[in-house]
Amino acid sequence: MTKKESLLKILVCIMCVWCVAFSVIFPKTASEAAFRALRLCAQRVVPSLFLFMAASKILLACGGARILSFLTAGLPERAFNLSKSGTAAVILGLLCGYPTGAVVISQALSRGEMTQSEAQSVLPFATAASPAFLAGTVGGALFSSPRYGYVLIFSQAASSFILLLLTRKKRSESEFLQKSGKKEEPFLPLLADAVKEAGVCALYVCSFITFFCVFCTAILYFLPIGKTLNALVNGFFEISCGFAALAELECTLFEKYFLAGAILGFSGVSVFMQSASFVCESGISMKKYTLGKCVQAVLCGAICFAAGVFSEKGAVDIAFAFFGTQAPKILLGADIALVSVLILALCAAFIALGAKILRFFSKK
């Protein structure tokens, strides 16, 4: 065991002892935090997650990777240099939410349908929040603005696709051979196992959310920090708590969009633990996962801020205000076109910068 691992274990033990002591000294506060987390799980997480996880498991067991590849005409495979299972992980991860991407990758690895190197490069960007959570829970329930949720959905998808493009050279087409030697199982046992495993996964997710909500409450209870920093700390540990804390602020545009995008891109320690519980046995390095999510946090925050500012104030109004004039009303319909051009320019700049960084490290 290395010194870093020993230090990490000691730190985790100290934090766990503190959480237990906090629950004993302040039982009402701890129980209220746990109740809020469990209510969130019962009202939002389980209804949107369970069916998606069961359906994705059944779909993959029945050859869903080939079906998704056919429906998308193989475009993700050619654009991002993915296998069919990699395409399924990205699509289902973005549509179904945490931790479906990690579950799909784990299942594909166990079936021999994905190599470890491909799984390593895809995992950070296939681990995403579901559109239902972002539009319904975050946009509709917390911020009372479904449009806000749509901005988050766009920012998350755009950042994932850009980073998949930047890492496409790490995935070799020669590795994408389907080498599974498992026999096909009868359908009824597959259906029963999928429902059972989905229930276990949903229980895992609820356990992580509850633990980290109580943990954040115990850590922040005595710290005299501002509301913005409080939202960031909550988001660092658990994304749902971070968005809930951010919604209580009188946010500036920077806080409302960039910080929300950064929280969404990083996804939190809770999601890290959820993903690790499924893929660590396959030898996936969570250090590279963490690095990928940190890069996505910055990129997702930048895209979210750009899209959010233009959706709030109007792209044409901002462009004319730069020159000290007011935009004619007849030009306001050009907002969408100008926003699209500016966001594409931002994405191209990130792609060019990322390519230079990758070339620099490859030379080293």
Side-chain angles (χ1 to χ4, degrees):
M1 184 183 296
T2 63
K3 291 183 179 180
K4 289 184 179 180
E5 291 176 343
S6 300
L7 182 62
L8 181 61
K9 285 189 175 182
I10 293 173
L11 182 62
V12 170
C13 289
I14 292 174
M15 290 181 175
C16 289
V17 170
W18 167 244
C19 286
V20 172
F22 180 84
S23 299
V24 173
I25 299 173
F26 303 100
K28 183 179 179 180
T29 304
S31 62
E32 287 177 351
F35 179 75
R36 287 196 304 270
L38 290 172
R39 184 173 57 186
L40 174 67
C41 292
Q43 292 178 345
R44 302 292 180 183
V45 177
V46 174
S48 62
L49 178 65
F50 176 77
L51 290 177
F52 279 126
M53 295 188 70
S56 64
K57 284 178 173 291
I58 296 171
L59 183 64
L60 288 177
C62 297
R66 293 190 296 272
I67 297 173
L68 289 174
S69 177
F70 174 77
L71 292 176
T72 57
L75 291 177
E77 297 163 38
R78 294 192 293 271
F80 306 128
N81 205 17
L82 296 171
S83 65
K84 289 181 173 60
S85 295
T87 299
V90 172
I91 293 175
L92 293 176
L94 289 173
L95 290 179
C96 302
Y98 310 119
T100 306
V103 173
V104 172
I105 289 174
S106 174
Q107 190 172 357
L109 284 171
S110 66
R111 290 175 172 271
E113 297 173 355
M114 182 185 290
T115 62
Q116 188 172 343
S117 60
E118 183 191 5
Q120 180 75 74
S121 64
V122 170
L123 178 63
F125 318 124
T127 306
S130 70
F133 170 75
L134 294 177
T137 303
V138 179
L142 295 179
F143 285 85
S144 301
S145 172
R147 183 178 63 178
Y148 181 72
Y150 299 147
V151 171
L152 292 174
I153 292 170
F154 169 79
S155 304
Q156 177 180 249
S159 61
S160 294
F161 292 152
I162 291 172
L163 292 172
L164 283 170
L165 280 173
L166 291 177
T167 56
R168 72 184 307 276
K169 291 185 178 180
K170 295 183 178 181
R171 297 181 286 274
S172 173
E173 292 182 2
S174 62
E175 296 177 344
F176 299 156
L177 298 176
Q178 302 298 316
K179 52 185 180 180
S180 174
K182 292 189 176 183
K183 297 180 180 179
E184 292 188 2
E185 300 178 16
F187 177 72
L188 287 180
L190 282 176
L191 180 62
D193 289 341
V195 175
K196 180 178 66 176
E197 291 173 7
V200 173
C201 292
L203 183 60
Y204 280 167
V205 172
C206 294
S207 300
F208 281 119
I209 291 175
T210 304
F211 173 80
F212 281 105
C213 282
V214 177
F215 178 78
C216 286
T217 302
I219 294 296
L220 298 174
Y221 191 76
F222 294 106
L223 294 181
I225 61 177
K227 291 184 177 181
T228 302
L229 186 57
N230 178 73
L232 279 177
V233 173
N234 274 281
F236 174 78
F237 286 105
E238 214 292 308
I239 184 172
S240 303
C241 298
F243 279 124
L246 195 62
E248 296 177 358
L249 299 178
E250 294 182 359
C251 298
T252 63
L253 287 178
F254 179 82
E255 292 171 333
K256 185 176 181 180
Y257 289 103
F258 181 81
L259 296 186
I263 290 173
L264 177 62
F266 183 70
S267 300
V269 179
S270 176
V271 173
F272 172 91
M273 297 297 293
Q274 294 171 35
S275 301
S277 67
F278 293 107
V279 301
C280 271
E281 293 182 358
S282 304
I284 300 297
S285 171
M286 297 309 291
K287 291 181 180 179
K288 294 182 179 180
Y289 169 91
T290 304
L291 178 61
K293 297 307 286 185
C294 289
V295 174
Q296 188 174 13
V298 177
L299 179 56
C300 187
I303 295 175
C304 188
F305 179 68
V309 168
F310 293 131
S311 69
E312 288 274 348
K313 293 190 173 183
V316 174
D317 278 337
I318 292 176
F320 273 78
F322 181 78
F323 297 100
T325 58
Q326 187 173 1
K329 296 295 183 182
I330 193 172
L331 293 179
L332 295 182
D335 277 349
I336 296 177
L338 186 54
V339 168
S340 301
V341 171
L342 291 174
I343 290 176
L344 287 174
L346 178 64
C347 294
F350 268 101
I351 291 174
L353 178 62
K356 289 184 178 181
I357 293 173
L358 290 175
R359 282 200 298 270
F360 173 78
F361 282 106
S362 63
K363 290 178 182 179
K364 295 294 182 180

